[in-house]
Each structure stands twice: as structure tokens, then as C-alpha cells.
Amino acid sequence: MSEISTRDAARDSANTRDAIRDNARDSAMSVAAISSERAASDDSVWTRRLVLFLRVMALLSILKGLYHWAQVTGFVGGEDEAFENQSMAWQASTIYFAVIELVAAVGLWLATPWGAVVWLTTVVSMAVIELMFPGIYGGSLVVVGVEAFMLAAYLALAWMAARERPP
């Protein structure tokens, strides 16, 4: 019986040593993770700003997409401004933006590369329609200026975020 109790005591002692070693390793890993997160967050200021910008643009894209769908479904505008009474070019453009704005919003919110590409497509498309085809939406230079400002802000933030990452 004493041999069995000696083996049990030795096994319990080994289990205790393993538990202490595991706890020490876990606490060292958690301290390392905290300090590396702090260092990484200090180094990625521009990346965080870029992601924040993309999220704000996602919210704006949702609003713009829903506005275009409201135009299609007749929730905004009077009878004279109804979707059916508009030109074919206006209808096609409105449906295009109703779909692509919401797709861009999802990609922007997730901060995926394809989301930025789709969003850039919407920005450039709106600017081109306003400048080249003023009969569709009225040719507002204010809209073109806002779109150009958003594009410049994105490019500046993306460039600064890219400079943070080592080659």
C-alpha cells in the first residue's frame, strides 16, 4: 500500500508542477500579447484611421443606396418625379446606384479590398455621370467636388496606412 501511495504522491507532485508551469506560461503569454497589442496599435494609427474612414463611407453608401431604392419604389418624390415618369437613362442610373452602393457598403464595412474597389467605382461613376451627362442628375459640381474630396481622402489615408507596414 505504501508503494501505491508513494506513486500517487509523486504523480500529484508532477501534476502540480505541470499546472504551475502552465499557469506561468499562460500569464507570460498574456502579458506578451497585451504589450504586443499596445505596440501594434501605436504603430498602426493610420490603418485604424483608414478603417474608420471606410466604416463612415459604408454608412454613407448605405444611406445613398437606400435613397436610390426609395426613388425606385416611390417613397420619395411626388407623382411628377415618379420612377416611371423619368427618362430611361435616369432609371438605369438610379437602379445601378441602388445596387452598387449597397454592395460597396458591405465591402467597406468589412474593410475588404474589393469593397474599396466597388466604392471607388461608385465614386467615379457618380462624378462621370454628373460631369459628362448633366441631363441625368443635373450636373451638380458640388456632388463632383464632394466625390473628389472623398476620393482624395481615401487615397491619402491608404497611402499613409501603407507606409506604416514594412515592405
Side-chain angles (χ1 to χ4, degrees):
M1 283 280 235
S2 71
E3 276 183 42
I4 293 174
S5 61
T6 306
R7 275 189 283 188
D8 288 342
R11 189 174 345 123
D12 289 343
S13 172
N15 287 341
T16 304
R17 272 194 317 262
D18 290 342
I20 291 171
R21 187 173 352 121
D22 288 343
N23 286 339
R25 185 180 67 229
D26 289 344
S27 114
M29 286 174 45
S30 67
V31 169
I34 291 170
S35 64
S36 69
E37 285 176 12
R38 188 176 307 125
S41 68
D42 291 343
D43 292 341
S44 61
V45 172
W46 288 105
T47 302
R48 284 187 287 123
R49 290 177 183 167
L50 176 62
V51 170
L52 178 65
F53 176 80
L54 292 176
R55 297 261 166 102
V56 170
M57 291 299 104
L59 293 174
L60 288 174
S61 289
I62 288 172
L63 292 175
K64 287 167 54 178
L66 291 177
Y67 175 75
H68 287 293
W69 276 115
Q71 288 178 317
V72 170
T73 58
F75 282 111
V76 295
E79 257 185 58
D80 295 338
E81 300 169 350
F83 183 77
E84 298 85 19
N85 297 334
Q86 300 296 329
S87 68
M88 186 65 73
W90 187 92
Q91 290 176 353
S93 299
T94 302
I95 290 173
Y96 168 78
F97 285 113
V99 172
I100 199 165
E101 289 284 357
L102 295 178
V103 172
V106 171
L108 287 172
W109 189 264
L110 298 174
T112 60
W114 64 264
V117 169
V118 173
W119 177 74
L120 290 171
T121 302
T122 66
V123 168
V124 171
S125 298
M126 182 59 82
V128 166
I129 285 177
E130 291 288 349
L131 286 176
M132 302 297 196
F133 305 102
I136 295 177
Y137 287 137
S140 173
L141 292 178
V142 173
V143 172
V144 174
V146 170
E147 300 287 344
F149 175 76
M150 290 188 309
L151 177 63
Y154 170 74
L155 292 175
L157 286 170
W159 182 64
M160 295 302 285
R163 290 185 59 199
E164 285 181 339
R165 290 183 226 112

